[in-house]
Amino acid sequence: MENESSETRNRARLAIMELANMISVPMSLNAAVRLGIADAIWNGGANSPLSAAEILPRLLFASDTTIGGDPENLQRILRMLTSYGVFSEHLVGSIERKYSLTDVGKTLVTDSGGLSYAAYVLQHHQEALMRAWPLVHTAVVEPETEPYVKANGEAAYAQYGKSEEMNGLMQKAMSGVSVPFMKAILDGYDGFKSVDNLVDVGGSAGDCLRMILNQFPNVREGINFDLPEVVAKAPNIPGVTHVGGDMFQSVPSADAIFMKWVLTTWTDEECKQIMKNCYKALPVGGKLIACEPVLPKETDDSHRTRALLEGDIFVMTIYRTKGKHRTEEEFKELGLSAGFPTFRPFYIDYFYTILEFQK
């Protein structure tokens, strides 16, 4: 047996303690969002280093004079999240600690449109979703049923449809993630330049089409395609027609088809069906432009790889046990099985990759 005082064993014990206690990280992040810490520190762009005692009266609950709050416990949360790069710590003298936002922390600041990544954090940590996590092992033992379904009695999207609060948070979370991503790809990807008419499959309220049409005036017509009950609530957007339907039955015809975060929640066979319907709807030379998380071929401990693999487990636990994040090669094979002879990936965003399938 190896000497327990050795460097190797010490590191191993430390690593497993970190992993065993890692729930403290997302729960502290969730607490920071619920308290409104990022907006309190940001303070309209000042981002001046503040102590926990200075932050406390600026938090969301502070208007309730019956709640005093605990600056020591707040500082414990701030220190922990500082170790994960959410805050910067500034030591004043030998005792006082002050905190400002890092670039990571700034993603939680509410922008002029009322959006940030904060809603994404809250959406991931709702009570119904949290109930599923102790059951992750059942995805191995009984893959026919999602851990979320075992914990809650029905599928996540079915519950979203019944709960205005859950659905509203989901929509806000997706908007908070989608808007900065779309800005990044519209600046870095020119695949819409030759497109006259474009279909967005699973386009929800049509926000992505609105952004694409504003950036590329050559796109004369946008078709926002989603379930009938979804497009029924979509707002009027100049140049965009809302069409209800089922992507497993057919997809409206266009020069190009866009979809974002659709394929990852479906099985391989379901993805093939969706992509075959897209192939049928496109002319020769037409493109399916899909934006999806793409797993690296090899596993390492980089932030990117960890974020992608964590997202993969989230899909398996909450949405579909056999829905998944895929590698570049797996997406290429799906494209070929649907009839697309040409495949090109564009790595612009670090989490979501643009996948271009050409007929």
Side-chain angles (χ1 to χ4, degrees):
M1 186 70 179
E2 192 171 347
N3 187 342
E4 288 296 340
S5 63
S6 70
E7 177 74 9
T8 302
R9 290 297 294 168
N10 261 302
R11 287 184 179 276
R13 291 198 304 273
L14 185 62
I16 200 63
M17 288 297 288
E18 180 185 6
L19 286 168
N21 288 299
M22 198 165 276
I23 193 170
S24 300
V25 182
M27 292 298 96
S28 293
L29 186 63
N30 187 57
V33 170
R34 287 182 175 275
L35 292 168
I37 294 175
D39 284 336
I41 295 175
W42 184 244
N43 191 26
N47 198 26
S48 301
L50 299 172
S51 67
E54 291 170 325
I55 294 169
L56 201 60
R58 302 182 180 200
L59 298 181
L60 292 177
F61 69 84
S63 58
D64 186 344
T65 55
T66 64
I67 302 175
D70 189 319
E72 183 183 10
N73 285 347
L74 174 58
Q75 180 171 280
R76 292 163 74 180
I77 292 171
L78 290 163
R79 285 198 73 183
M80 212 286 301
L81 292 175
T82 294
S83 75
Y84 279 87
V86 179
F87 304 108
S88 289
E89 186 177 73
H90 310 264
L91 291 175
V92 182
S94 59
I95 299 177
E96 190 175 30
R97 302 173 189 271
K98 295 195 174 190
Y99 299 89
S100 59
L101 299 177
T102 63
D103 285 340
V104 176
K106 290 173 187 175
T107 65
L108 301 174
V109 174
T110 308
D111 67 14
S112 58
L115 298 176
S116 74
Y117 273 71
Y120 185 79
V121 173
L122 293 178
Q123 194 272 332
H124 273 49
H125 299 101
Q126 295 173 94
E127 187 176 343
L129 278 71
M130 294 302 298
R131 281 197 289 266
W133 285 107
L135 303 176
V136 174
H137 67 286
T138 66
V140 176
V141 181
E142 301 172 85
E144 300 81 13
T145 307
E146 286 72 29
Y148 185 97
V149 174
K150 284 187 171 69
N152 294 285
E154 60 182 338
Y157 281 113
Q159 284 202 320
Y160 296 163
K162 294 176 182 177
S163 168
E164 193 170 325
E165 182 181 354
M166 291 183 77
N167 189 56
L169 184 56
M170 175 69 169
Q171 294 296 329
K172 191 171 184 180
M174 291 300 97
S175 294
V177 174
S178 180
V179 169
F181 165 74
M182 286 300 297
K183 288 178 179 177
I185 72 160
L186 290 175
D187 287 340
Y189 173 70
D190 63 2
F192 298 110
K193 282 186 175 178
S194 59
V195 175
D196 286 330
N197 45 69
L198 176 69
V199 173
D200 185 357
V201 174
S204 190
D207 292 328
C208 291
L209 273 179
R210 187 203 307 269
M211 295 177 74
I212 294 169
L213 267 62
N214 285 341
Q215 183 91 353
F216 294 96
N218 55 279
V219 181
R220 294 181 293 101
E221 181 190 16
I223 299 173
N224 181 44
F225 182 66
D226 212 315
L227 294 170
E229 59 268 28
V230 174
V231 296
K233 300 175 183 177
N236 182 49
I237 301 172
V240 173
T241 304
H242 299 293
V243 176
D246 181 352
M247 63 186 175
F248 288 103
Q249 300 299 319
S250 65
V251 172
S253 297
D255 297 334
I257 296 170
F258 178 73
M259 62 173 63
K260 176 171 56 64
W261 317 335
V262 170
L263 300 177
T264 193
T265 53
W266 299 103
T267 67
D268 287 344
E269 287 305 312
E270 289 164 338
C271 285
K272 287 177 188 177
Q273 185 59 50
I274 295 166
M275 294 175 75
K276 282 178 181 178
N277 287 339
C278 291
Y279 183 88
K280 293 174 186 175
L282 291 167
V284 174
K287 294 181 293 189
L288 165 60
I289 304 164
C291 302
E292 300 288 341
V294 174
L295 294 175
K297 184 177 180 180
E298 296 183 7
T299 306
D300 58 40
D301 61 359
S302 68
H303 283 302
R304 181 176 184 274
T305 296
R306 283 179 171 172
L308 288 164
L309 291 172
E310 287 159 7
D312 183 46
I313 300 300
F314 181 83
V315 169
M316 181 184 78
T317 303
I318 306 301
Y319 294 127
R320 295 294 296 279
T321 53
K322 300 301 287 183
K324 58 185 177 181
H325 292 184
R326 295 171 172 87
T327 64
E328 187 180 303
E329 187 60 31
E330 286 172 322
F331 276 115
K332 182 180 178 180
E333 289 302 315
L334 280 176
L336 287 171
S337 70
F340 291 99
T342 306
F343 167 77
R344 288 196 301 169
F346 296 84
Y347 290 89
I348 296 170
D349 182 84
Y350 286 179
F351 192 87
Y352 297 104
T353 302
I354 300 171
L355 306 170
E356 196 176 86
F357 303 88
Q358 190 162 22
K359 183 171 178 178

